Amino acid sequence: MPHPALPPQLAAAVPFLWHNPACQASAAALRALPYGKADIDAAIARWQRFAPLLAHCFADSVAADGRIDSPLLQQDGGVLVKADHALPVTACIKARGGVYEVLCQAEALALAAGLLPAGTGYEVLAGDAARALFARHTILVGSTGNLGYSVGVMARALGLQVEVHMSSDAKAWKKDRLRALGARVVEHAGDYASAVSSARTLAASDPLAYFIDDESSLLLFFGYAAAAHDLKAQLDAAGQRPTPARPLRVYLPCGVGGAPGGVAFGLKCLYGDAVQIVFVEPVASPCFLLRLASGDDALSVYDIGLDNRTLADGLAVPRASATVAGLVQHLVDAVVTVSDDSLLAEVRRQWQQHALRLEPSAAAGFVAHQLAASSWAQDVIPVVWTTGGNGLPDEVFLPLLAG
Ligand SMILES: Cc1ncc(COP(=O)(O)O)c(C=O)c1O
């Protein structure tokens, strides 16, 4: 049934820029939230505790300092690119949350088993005693692909069992890649939301199982939020000092909302009104826009006649995270919807002109920036977050370039 408050472009699947009327001055919006800087600082401290272990587990891809971060690139027209398509270990933004929550659980298990007495370095978690402990435990997750991979890589590196629930139409190569890690992949006839719900139910009945909830985990959220500090350090080093008169405008591809929501929260905590947050969604799956415009947590894109079918598989989510929407509804400045054709064209352009290997989801920020540049002109520092792609095998990436 149509909803009176909804912009007509939404159900018509027409790309457009939507300004969030509920966006507030950041100080007021943040003050009303039960979480804040301390939660992000705790996440940063945990990343630091684990840095030596990460450097040990992923010696080929993670630098000696053990930080999982991506470069900040510059393109023509002053566009900055936060290049998470090249993030070490998993080549996607979901690692910032998924790897982080596996670390949280590993730390909790190890502390409970007495493996981390005060002063112990976290490299001990790569040792035999920890591996024997972890091998008895299973992490479950429901995913469109990239969260499952991020969780799978980290969990398997520590010797945890992992079971990833995915919709049957999730990309086959993403399932194969998980199986190659030793993860169990469970396919569901339904969509991403039903895969998440099955994993949640199964985990609830197994005392040795831990469920990573893409739809409502605060640990994922704070793991993503810590990325804001990585970006700020790079902007500081580049001499970029945003102000409310010349703010950062950050374009974030949005699926269920966790990754962009966490980053948005982190950035607003750091920059206040000197940052504008723009979520970007496919025209077939604008679940976050739908939630913000309707205020209705239960509404899905199917309810307004959309089919949730998009090339941007990481963003093919029918219903936004109610948890994340509740936290960031007053912090998101705008949402842009984009067509699959424009994503494909941008994947090609980024490869040809800048040698960036992006999956369609990850090209969304560029398309949104082009749309906003004409209809929302303002002196801003544009930052496009490229959220995944370097992991695409040739047999998947090259066909995207053809035609
Ligand atoms: C490449 C890519 N970009 C963006 C996102 C969006 O993240 P979220 O679903 O947390 O909104 C995803 C989600 O899987 C993704 O795979």
Side-chain angles (χ1 to χ4, degrees):
M1 21 86 228
H3 194 288
L6 297 179
Q9 297 96 324
L10 205 56
V14 174
F16 76 119
L17 163 69
W18 178 80
H19 291 277
N20 178 14
C23 188
Q24 297 175 352
S26 56
L30 291 169
R31 208 179 312 115
L33 294 179
Y35 309 106
K37 185 177 170 309
D39 299 287
I40 303 176
D41 288 347
I44 293 170
R46 185 174 280 108
W47 277 118
Q48 284 167 353
R49 288 198 291 281
F50 273 96
L53 180 72
L54 292 170
H56 171 87
C57 289
F58 305 110
D60 294 345
S61 54
V62 173
D65 65 6
R67 293 178 63 242
I68 297 184
D69 191 19
S70 65
L72 183 67
L73 311 174
Q74 176 133 28
Q75 291 191 356
D76 311 337
V79 176
L80 299 173
V81 179
K82 184 58 183 150
D84 273 8
H85 69 282
L87 201 70
V89 186
T90 64
C92 69
I93 192 172
K94 296 294 283 191
R96 295 182 179 275
V99 167
Y100 178 73
E101 186 156 353
V102 173
L103 298 182
C104 293
Q105 175 61 0
E107 186 177 50
L109 291 172
L111 284 169
L115 291 177
L116 283 172
T120 310
Y122 274 46
E123 295 96 318
V124 75
L125 299 185
D128 291 344
R131 290 191 79 82
L133 166 72
F134 293 150
R136 296 200 295 277
H137 292 265
T138 304
I139 308 268
L140 279 90
V141 63
S143 170
T144 56
N146 284 337
L147 178 66
Y149 184 61
S150 302
V151 166
V153 169
M154 191 65 239
R156 294 305 297 146
L158 293 174
L160 287 150
Q161 307 297 318
V162 65
E163 189 170 298
V164 183
H165 291 251
M166 295 171 82
S167 65
S168 53
D169 66 353
K171 294 279 177 276
W173 71 270
K174 290 190 173 176
K175 295 174 189 165
D176 294 344
R177 183 172 71 160
L178 275 164
R179 291 189 183 104
L181 282 173
R184 279 191 298 282
V185 176
V186 183
E187 298 189 49
H188 293 269
D191 61 11
Y192 152 88
S194 62
V196 171
S197 143
S198 301
R200 184 185 292 121
T201 307
L202 279 170
S205 63
D206 179 352
L208 294 179
Y210 177 82
F211 176 53
I212 294 186
D213 193 339
D214 199 21
E215 290 181 324
S216 61
S217 163
L218 288 171
L219 293 177
L220 288 179
F221 187 80
F222 295 130
Y224 299 126
H229 285 251
D230 295 337
L231 176 61
K232 181 163 189 304
Q234 290 168 321
L235 291 168
D236 287 350
Q240 293 280 8
R241 306 247 181 273
T243 62
R246 184 167 180 263
L248 287 181
R249 183 180 287 168
V250 184
Y251 297 94
L252 292 155
C254 175
V256 76
V263 171
F265 173 71
L267 285 172
K268 289 277 181 173
C269 285
L270 282 176
Y271 284 111
D273 295 328
V275 62
Q276 296 173 343
I277 299 296
V278 185
F279 283 10
V280 193
E281 301 187 291
V283 288
S285 314
C287 64
F288 217 90
L289 200 172
L290 180 62
R291 161 61 183 81
L292 293 180
S294 68
D296 184 347
D297 281 331
L299 213 54
S300 91
V301 301
Y302 306 124
D303 296 326
I304 58 164
L306 297 173
D307 63 7
N308 191 33
R309 299 190 76 81
T310 168
L311 264 182
D313 54 303
L315 313 182
V317 175
R319 188 180 291 110
S321 160
T323 306
V324 175
L327 291 172
V328 304
Q329 58 190 331
H330 303 304
L331 295 175
V332 176
D333 293 76
V335 183
V336 173
T337 62
V338 297
S339 71
D340 275 14
D341 285 352
S342 64
L343 292 177
L344 206 50
E346 195 60 34
V347 166
R348 292 174 185 155
R349 197 175 76 86
Q350 287 299 323
W351 176 249
Q352 284 152 7
Q353 296 185 9
H354 302 286
L356 300 190
R357 194 178 181 99
L358 303 181
E359 55 184 284
S361 302
F366 292 109
V367 178
H369 173 55
Q370 286 146 23
L371 200 142
S374 54
S375 50
W376 186 14
Q378 189 185 336
D379 188 16
V380 297
I381 305 167
V383 179
V384 169
W385 212 293
T386 53
T387 49
N390 262 8
L392 257 62
D394 279 352
E395 57 275 24
V396 174
F397 185 62
L398 297 180
L400 292 175
L401 303 179

